[in-house]
Amino acid sequence: MADDNIMIKRFFTYSELCLHNNVDDLWVAFLGRVYDLTPLSSEYRDDILMRPILSSSGTDISHWFEKVSRDIRTQVDPITGCIVPFTPVGRFLHIPPQGPRTDWSSNIGKPWWNDDRYFIGLLSEKTRKVIIMDTLISKEQVIEACIEETISEIAVRYLKFNKHGFSYTWKFKGKYLDMYKTLEENGIVDEDEQHCDLRLDESHYLPQIQIYYNDDLTD
C-alpha cells in the first residue's frame, strides 16, 4: 500500500509543466518552483494584465526574477533613466505602472509571485527515462522520472499504467530496490552524458527495472 505522503507529487518534469498552458489550466515555473496560477487566471480572466502571464503559461519564467530576492528583476529605463521592473513580455498583473495613475491601487497584498498559495511543487533539475518491466505479463513501460524522486515516487508515476504497482517487488539486475532511495542511490547510474559523448541513442540503453507480483492486490 502506498504512503499517502508519497502520493503527493513533490517534483514535476518540464514536460508536465508544458501541458498546463491555457487560461483554464495555467502553470508557470520560476527559480526551481512550480506554481498553479489557475485560480489567479480565473479571478483576473478579463484583465489585460493577465495576458503576458497567459502567453508564458506552461513555461519556465525564471528570467523574470532575481535569484537571491526572488523578486521581479529591474532595469534602467533608457528614456527616463529610472529603475523600473523588468517585464520582457509587457507589464503584467501586480506590476505598478510607471508614474502616478488614478486607476492603480498599491493595496494588492502579496503579489502572486510571493504568494505560496499557488506553489505546488519543484521543477526537476533533470529527468531520466527508465523501463518498468512487469514480469507477470512481460510488458514494458517507459517512464520519465525526476532524478530527485525515490523509487516509491516513480512507482506513483507508474500507477497510471498499472494501478497495482505497489503490489509488486521492485528489483534491478536481481537486487531489491530501496523504495525510499533515488535511482542513483540504488546504484542505477545515470549514463546519459556517456551516451551523448559516444553519440549513442539513449533510448536503446535505458535501465530496466523488473517488478514481481506479490499476490497482494492493493486498492
Side-chain angles (χ1 to χ4, degrees):
M1 181 71 69
D3 186 321
D4 288 342
N5 291 328
I6 292 174
M7 301 298 288
I8 301 172
K9 192 172 289 186
R10 295 187 303 142
F11 294 94
F12 295 93
T13 68
Y14 191 79
S15 298
E16 290 173 313
L17 171 66
C18 292
L19 295 174
H20 303 272
N21 58 5
N22 62 76
V23 67
D24 296 312
D25 183 15
L26 198 168
W27 290 15
V28 295
F30 60 90
L31 304 180
R33 292 160 65 96
V34 180
Y35 295 81
D36 181 356
L37 300 184
T38 307
L40 189 75
S41 175
S42 177
E43 183 179 356
Y44 294 94
R45 180 178 293 266
D46 298 322
D47 195 319
I48 193 173
L49 296 182
M50 269 303 300
R51 292 182 184 176
I53 302 173
L54 180 59
S55 71
S56 302
S57 61
T59 68
D60 187 336
I61 56 172
S62 294
H63 61 292
W64 294 12
F65 299 89
E66 295 284 358
K67 290 183 179 180
V68 177
S69 68
R70 305 187 68 86
D71 212 339
I72 299 295
R73 290 173 57 192
T74 58
Q75 62 183 1
V76 176
D77 187 299
I79 297 176
T80 66
C82 296
I83 297 176
V84 296
F86 175 69
T87 53
V89 290
R91 178 177 164 232
F92 51 84
L93 195 67
H94 297 164
I95 291 292
Q98 294 188 37
R101 291 268 294 271
T102 58
D103 60 349
W104 165 257
S105 172
S106 60
N107 186 27
I108 60 173
K110 279 187 178 181
W112 59 263
W113 56 89
N114 286 335
D115 196 332
D116 283 339
R117 289 180 301 169
Y118 304 120
F119 171 66
I120 57 172
L122 302 173
L123 187 65
S124 178
E125 292 186 6
K126 185 179 186 297
T127 62
R128 296 179 60 182
K129 290 183 178 180
V130 295
I131 298 171
I132 310 297
M133 165 60 84
D134 183 344
T135 59
L136 179 65
I137 57 175
S138 298
K139 183 177 180 179
E140 294 183 346
Q141 181 63 54
V142 177
I143 300 287
E144 183 183 19
C146 303
I147 61 170
E148 303 90 347
E149 289 178 323
T150 64
I151 302 299
S152 286
E153 289 171 313
I154 294 173
V156 171
R157 291 184 178 277
Y158 180 63
L159 291 178
K160 66 187 287 188
F161 306 103
N162 182 347
K163 67 178 182 179
H164 301 297
F166 281 95
S167 291
Y168 288 73
T169 296
W170 290 56
K171 293 184 178 182
F172 178 70
K173 294 183 177 180
K175 295 182 178 180
Y176 291 97
L177 294 177
D178 186 328
M179 300 299 284
Y180 297 96
K181 290 184 178 181
T182 64
L183 292 168
E184 198 82 20
E185 290 168 344
N186 271 290
I188 306 177
V189 179
D190 186 352
E191 297 179 333
D192 286 356
E193 288 189 13
Q194 293 93 315
H195 294 155
C196 183
D197 291 342
L198 296 171
R199 299 182 181 180
L200 298 175
D201 184 347
E202 66 172 14
S203 65
H204 297 310
Y205 299 92
L206 298 179
Q208 184 189 82
I209 294 173
Q210 300 83 35
I211 60 174
Y212 299 85
Y213 176 55
N214 292 332
D215 293 326
D216 176 26
L217 291 180
T218 52
D219 295 330

